[in-house]
Amino acid sequence: MNPLVEARVATTARTPRHLALEDRDSRLTWSDLNREVGGLHGALAQAGVQPNTRVGLLADRSAPTTIGVHAILSAGAAVVPLDPSHPPARLTQVIEDAQLSAILVDKRTARRHARTLRDGGCTVVQLTDRAPAVPPVPVAPDAPALILYTSGSTGRPKGVVLSGRAVHAFVAWAVPTLELGPTDRIAHLSPLSFDLCTLELFAPGLVGAATVVIPAGATMFPATLATALSTCTVIYTVPSVWQRLLSTPLSALTVLRCIVYAGEPFAPAALAQLMAALPDRPVHNFFGPTETNVCCAHRLDTPPSGPVPIGTAASSARLFIHPDTEELWVSGPSVMSGYWNRPTPTLVDRPDGRWLRTGDRVRRSDDGLLHALGRLDTMLKHKGFRVQPEEVEGVLLAHPDVTAARVSVDGPELLAEVVSTKPDRDLARHVARALPPYMVPTRFQRVSALPTTARGKLDRRAPASPAPTDPA
């Protein structure tokens, strides 16, 4: 059986009255959660969902959405998150590629994306639907549990397939690492399409802790976000969110005992400021691509004096640094099964096991700790999300008034250098019609030409030729 489902069932039997799930509208014990999951599983079964298929989940963060995740897994299917903030064209790409058997929706997203759902041709099930409860369906531990779509260099998103065993390997490592117990309340801040959500949704099932859903509306302002997080003992999010919180007093976070971050480097000065504002809390830096969830980790008990290491192996991973390229290779139970419906050349079978070539350059210091040095390829990180610049550039070049484009990260901004006379807002709207919000450039810079290599390819490092004028 899927080990994530086994953990939920065992915890329900062990601590049925402990709090399992909370949002601003409801509080569910583990017994309540188990009952709701069984009823929604029954509705999925009536809709024809079979084991080893894929079910989309198009809904905002909420207690019902979390129930939906567990119900899909209980049905023996894989969860394919569909972010409601993504444009219809992007959602359609994922629906078609994943070959979904059904889509779970809430009422708001069903109205907002009615045309996409209709054109997708899938059976639509409401998160509020219930039928006679169905017990969990046994599937192999290595069967797909989550398919997380990320930016792809070919211009189409690619689905990272994580098995139940892979996700369980990470959360089983995280529980003792973060010293999680039944009294913990773990904030659920991450989008379902972001691998950070695996800790938030599945670690509680191993120890009888609670998932506290932070609604999207509470994240708009630092003060309201701090208030929403005030009852949480563990918060796992990207550095940019932690840095936003620094703009408001953090006195509300009195029960917080553990600071965890991942997704991008944390500027040492900002991290030191956070540790001064929240003293006596350990800080954990989790590192790894979506394909491994977390493969390295480092704990800090004092403010950093320089760049923070990514530490040592996590999630029972084995690490190898290629001597020629300094690329990090990872093997172990948390590594993905592959990319859905496409070849996976980054997975390499060797006599000592299957290894993932991560594309991350690392170096081991004299104290044995690993330090991240950047990427071997062109992939960028913006707000913790992976961005393939080629995908954004392809959308920009599809605009009739753009003749050249280069995308990069400049501090907190996603910068697009373009040869165009169109105003920024027109180009931003054009990109937003095709790509998720985190892939829409936050700043445009006009140039007269972009540099090329000797082979005529775009040079990503050389400076561009400045434009004589910049449109208003």
Side-chain angles (χ1 to χ4, degrees):
M1 184 179 287
N2 185 324
L4 302 173
V5 177
E6 280 188 315
R8 176 180 59 78
V9 172
T11 293
T12 300
R14 188 173 61 250
T15 58
R17 297 183 180 179
H18 281 202
L19 182 68
L21 181 60
E22 177 181 294
D23 66 7
R24 58 187 173 190
D25 298 319
S26 58
R27 287 170 56 89
L28 284 78
T29 65
W30 282 99
S31 178
D32 297 332
L33 176 62
N34 193 60
R35 181 184 66 252
E36 297 297 325
V37 168
L40 184 52
H41 177 182
L44 289 171
Q46 287 188 355
V49 171
Q50 298 293 317
N52 297 304
T53 58
R54 293 149 305 284
V55 176
L57 183 49
L58 180 63
D60 292 311
R61 279 193 309 273
S62 67
T65 302
T66 304
I67 293 168
V69 170
H70 290 291
I72 294 170
L73 295 179
S74 183
V79 182
V80 181
L82 300 167
D83 195 318
S85 70
H86 291 187
R90 185 70 164 197
L91 295 176
T92 298
Q93 284 182 323
V94 174
I95 291 170
E96 292 177 350
D97 187 75
Q99 301 166 318
L100 303 179
S101 62
I103 300 178
L104 268 175
V105 300
D106 59 23
K107 290 182 179 178
R108 193 181 74 84
T109 54
R111 289 193 301 268
R112 179 179 172 185
H113 293 287
R115 182 173 180 178
T116 301
L117 291 169
R118 184 178 64 250
D119 294 345
C122 297
T123 300
V124 175
V125 179
Q126 296 283 339
L127 282 168
T128 52
D129 289 349
R130 296 292 184 270
V134 177
V137 175
V139 293
D142 288 323
L146 294 174
I147 302 181
L148 305 180
Y149 276 82
T150 68
S151 178
S153 59
T154 62
R156 294 184 65 85
K158 58 185 178 183
V160 176
V161 181
L162 297 176
S163 68
R165 189 196 303 275
V167 177
H168 186 268
F170 162 57
V171 294
W173 166 85
V175 163
T177 300
L178 302 179
E179 300 177 339
L180 300 179
T183 60
D184 274 309
R185 296 166 55 87
I186 302 174
H188 177 22
L189 262 174
S190 305
L192 292 180
S193 55
F194 200 7
D195 59 332
L196 271 68
C197 76
T198 54
L199 176 77
E200 304 165 349
L201 297 180
F202 301 116
L206 273 64
V207 294
T211 295
V212 180
V213 181
I214 309 301
T219 65
M220 293 180 64
F221 304 103
T224 56
L225 177 57
T227 300
L229 293 168
S230 62
T231 65
C232 298
T233 60
V234 177
I235 302 173
Y236 180 32
T237 189
V238 294
S240 55
V241 172
W242 283 115
Q243 289 177 247
R244 285 182 58 215
L245 282 168
L246 282 172
S247 63
T248 191
L250 298 182
S251 54
L253 304 183
T254 55
V255 301
L256 178 68
R257 64 169 191 79
C258 193
I259 298 168
V260 195
Y261 75 89
E264 57 194 355
F266 208 139
L271 181 54
Q273 186 182 353
L274 178 67
M275 296 181 75
L278 296 169
D280 304 320
R281 276 91 161 179
V283 172
H284 296 265
N285 175 19
F286 286 0
F287 175 87
T290 303
E291 289 85 347
T292 69
N293 208 312
V294 171
C295 62
C296 300
H298 181 66
R299 171 172 168 156
L300 295 93
D301 293 293
T302 57
S305 57
V308 180
I310 59 173
T312 55
S315 308
S316 301
R318 290 183 294 153
L319 308 179
F320 168 71
I321 304 174
H322 195 283
D324 297 328
T325 61
E326 298 182 311
E327 182 181 22
L328 177 65
W329 291 30
V330 181
S331 180
S334 71
V335 173
M336 70 170 180
S337 307
Y339 295 120
W340 176 255
N341 205 24
R342 69 171 64 190
T344 311
T346 52
L347 282 177
V348 180
D349 287 313
R350 305 199 315 180
D352 57 348
R354 171 168 284 194
W355 291 81
L356 173 78
R357 298 173 51 189
T358 66
D360 291 299
R361 290 179 55 238
V362 300
R363 184 172 297 156
R364 195 184 304 275
S365 55
D366 293 340
D367 56 7
L369 299 177
L370 294 179
H371 296 257
L373 303 178
R375 295 284 302 177
L376 287 170
D377 57 16
T378 59
M379 192 187 79
L380 308 172
K381 281 291 187 79
H382 183 230
K383 299 180 179 179
F385 289 93
R386 289 160 45 153
V387 176
Q388 290 288 355
E390 298 92 343
E391 189 172 7
V392 186
E393 290 158 0
V395 173
L396 283 167
L397 290 170
H399 192 289
D401 292 299
V402 176
T403 57
R406 181 172 68 178
V407 173
S408 60
V409 168
D410 184 14
E413 295 191 297
L414 189 64
L415 170 66
E417 297 169 285
V418 293
V419 179
S420 174
T421 58
K422 280 290 181 182
D424 293 359
R425 62 179 178 273
D426 288 358
L427 297 180
R429 288 170 183 164
H430 170 74
V431 176
R433 283 193 288 269
L435 299 177
Y438 66 87
M439 295 179 70
V440 178
T442 54
R443 182 162 67 90
F444 291 87
Q445 182 174 320
R446 276 11 184 238
V447 296
S448 61
L450 289 171
T452 57
T453 65
R455 296 185 177 183
K457 294 185 178 181
L458 178 66
D459 190 327
R460 297 194 174 275
R461 296 187 177 182
S465 303
T469 59
D470 193 25

